[in-house]
């Protein structure tokens, strides 16, 4: 992560980025933005921005070539967030979210100021709501593996008002802080086709990593930012959770049930996390109708294509189990699925 940040604030960045934007970014983290010492930035002299532009760029470049711990944790965090969206795909996400929220981001006449890094920095400073939404959308798209919880019933609507949002955010912050992941916690709320989506931006555990600085290896520590994703469908009464440690997923589901659904224990049923199983079929009192066999029996015995073997291959069994209804199918249908 440290090396990626160095690549972001490379010489091209310092030679082309708008100095006014860069000054505003660095002033956020100076101990006293009005002073010339800039003690919060390892003694960087903010007064260089009042002098010739070339001199300011040289000073900034020297600063970013130095060790990352000299930047200060706040500036490191900001730069990582900007770098996250400072590319072509990030630019498109920013523009999409700006349109959705009713903001107009007009391209600068100077084409150099249309660079994705420049736009990301400008939006970060001038339109934080748009920037946060774009960051959330990036996190939603990145989460492809989600744990799923089934509620006690279907059709329970999420009740999202100011009180519910505040209660969820407070409880989520406490949960993450208890796991040594810092106090920062921000929640984005999004409706999408009948689903309620939450993106929880929070700190992660302190990370220590080696970096190469001027040919020498050093070790630095920083607190990266992470995202947790929750997606709830009232129609199915199901909650999907991603980006949360396995041991904490049930806690997060209960937090959602208590604060957003006002239904404590809604995702605490016996089979809440056992959504796909053949056990109810196998426990049924009545046998399968004539000419029908269970999926487990078929996938254990093999298909007509594999009569010479004791059982179907692992791949065939997996294909079979994923291609037919969960309770039963005729033997002919099962043979056709492999």
């Amino acid at each position: 992560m440290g090396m990626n940040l160095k690549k972001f604030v490379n010489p091209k960045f310092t030679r082309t980025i708008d100095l006014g934007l860069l000054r505003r970014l660095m002033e956020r983290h100076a101990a006293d933005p009005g002073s010339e010492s800039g003690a919060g930035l390892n003694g960087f002299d903010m007064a260089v921005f009042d002098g010739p532009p070339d001199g300011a760029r040289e000073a900034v470049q020297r600063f970013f070539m130095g060790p990352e711990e000299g930047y200060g944790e706040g500036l490191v965090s900001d730069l990582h967030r900007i770098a996250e969206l400072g590319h072509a795909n990030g630019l498109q996400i920013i523009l999409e979210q700006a349109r959705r929220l009713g903001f107009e981001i007009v391209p600068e006449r100077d084409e150099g100021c249309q660079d994705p890094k420049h736009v990301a920095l400008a939006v970060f400073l001038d339109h934080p709501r748009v920037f946060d939404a774009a960051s959330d959308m990036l996190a939603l798209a990145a989460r492809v593996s989600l744990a799923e919880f089934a509620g006690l019933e279907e059709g329970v609507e999420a009740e999202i008002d100011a009180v519910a949002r505040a209660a969820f955010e407070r409880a989520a912050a406490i949960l993450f802080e208890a796991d040594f992941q810092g106090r920062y916690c921000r929640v984005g709320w999004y409706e999408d086709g009948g689903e309620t989506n939450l993106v929880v931006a929070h700190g992660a555990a302190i990370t220590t990593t080696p970096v190469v600085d001027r040919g020498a290896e050093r070790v630095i520590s920083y607190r990266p930012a992470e995202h947790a994703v929750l997606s709830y469908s009232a129609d199915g009464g199901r909650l999907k959770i991603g980006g949360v440690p396995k041991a904490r997923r049930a806690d997060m589901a209960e937090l959602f049930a208590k604060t957003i659904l006002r239904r404590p224990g809604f995702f605490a049923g016996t089979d809440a996390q056992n959504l796909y199983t053949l056990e109810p079929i196998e426990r049924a009192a009545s046998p399968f109708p004539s000419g029908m066999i269970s999926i487990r029996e078929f996938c254990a015995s093999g298909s007509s294509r594999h009569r010479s073997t004791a059982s179907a291959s692992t791949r065939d069994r997996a294909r079979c189990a994923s291609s037919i209804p969960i309770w039963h199918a005729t033997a002919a249908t099962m043979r056709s699925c492999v």
Side-chain angles (χ1 to χ4, degrees):
M1 198 168 183
M3 293 302 295
N4 289 338
L5 188 56
K6 286 289 188 181
K7 290 179 180 179
F8 182 75
V9 289
N10 57 25
K12 179 182 177 182
F13 174 85
T14 56
R15 286 197 306 267
T16 59
I17 197 68
D18 180 90
L19 287 176
L21 293 176
L22 192 56
R23 179 175 191 164
R24 289 169 56 197
L25 176 67
M26 297 181 73
E27 282 178 343
R28 287 163 51 93
H29 306 289
D32 180 4
S35 73
E36 295 184 357
S37 64
L41 297 172
N42 199 29
F44 179 80
D45 186 0
M46 296 294 295
V48 299
F49 289 108
D50 297 323
D54 289 345
R57 293 189 187 281
E58 289 178 6
V60 169
Q61 185 170 333
R62 286 195 301 271
F63 173 75
F64 283 129
M65 288 177 63
E68 283 188 28
E69 59 262 35
Y71 301 177
E73 185 176 337
L75 180 58
V76 168
S77 176
D78 282 357
L79 287 171
H80 276 300
R81 294 196 67 204
I82 296 164
E84 181 183 59
L85 290 169
H87 47 77
N89 183 46
L91 175 60
Q92 292 306 311
I93 296 175
I94 287 173
L95 294 176
E96 289 171 3
Q97 293 308 305
R99 286 190 288 267
R100 183 180 68 84
L101 294 171
F103 288 88
E104 183 179 8
I105 299 178
V106 180
E108 299 279 353
R109 290 188 176 182
D110 182 355
E111 291 190 356
C113 295
Q114 297 180 24
D115 181 275
K117 290 183 179 181
H118 178 100
V119 176
L121 174 57
V123 173
F124 177 81
L125 293 171
D126 296 329
H127 304 289
R129 186 182 172 198
V130 173
F131 189 93
D132 287 345
S135 180
D136 290 347
M137 291 302 104
L138 195 65
L140 275 173
R143 292 295 179 191
V144 294
S145 179
L146 303 174
E148 195 167 353
F149 289 78
L152 297 177
E153 59 186 277
E154 299 175 353
V156 177
E157 297 290 340
E159 300 180 27
I160 303 177
D161 54 26
V163 174
R165 292 188 184 199
F168 180 88
E169 291 177 6
R170 284 195 303 269
I174 292 172
L175 187 150
F176 288 119
E177 185 178 4
D179 285 348
F180 300 92
Q181 295 183 322
R183 297 181 180 180
Y184 172 73
C185 183
R186 178 188 61 79
V187 183
W189 307 78
Y190 307 94
E191 295 290 335
D192 181 22
E195 287 192 342
T196 299
N197 296 308
L198 282 66
V199 180
V200 186
H202 62 90
I206 291 290
T207 296
T208 301
T209 185
V211 298
V212 177
D213 179 37
R214 299 180 183 180
E217 184 175 289
R218 298 181 299 101
V219 175
I220 65 170
S221 297
Y222 60 92
R223 186 184 297 280
E226 296 288 351
H227 292 86
V229 172
L230 290 80
S231 181
Y232 175 69
S233 171
D235 289 343
R238 294 193 175 187
L239 175 68
K240 298 177 183 178
I241 298 178
V244 176
K246 185 176 181 179
R248 281 295 198 180
R249 290 171 188 166
D251 295 332
M252 183 62 76
E254 175 62 15
L255 191 160
F256 184 90
K258 184 177 180 180
T259 59
I260 305 302
L261 302 182
R262 274 84 163 182
R263 296 281 297 272
F266 186 72
F267 298 110
T270 305
D271 295 326
Q273 298 183 65
N274 194 22
L275 306 183
Y276 307 102
T277 177
L278 299 177
E279 291 182 5
I281 302 169
E282 296 176 341
R283 293 197 305 264
S286 60
F288 284 95
S290 176
M292 297 183 180
I293 61 175
S294 72
I295 295 174
R296 193 181 299 279
E297 289 172 341
F298 174 74
C299 291
S301 63
S303 68
S304 59
R305 189 184 301 174
H306 297 275
R307 288 173 181 166
S308 61
T309 62
S311 64
S313 69
T314 301
R315 182 179 64 181
D316 289 330
R317 291 197 298 271
R319 287 172 57 196
C320 173
S322 64
S323 303
I324 53 183
I326 195 167
W327 28 87
H328 61 265
T330 65
T333 301
M334 288 186 173
R335 281 196 294 271
S336 68
C337 80
V338 292

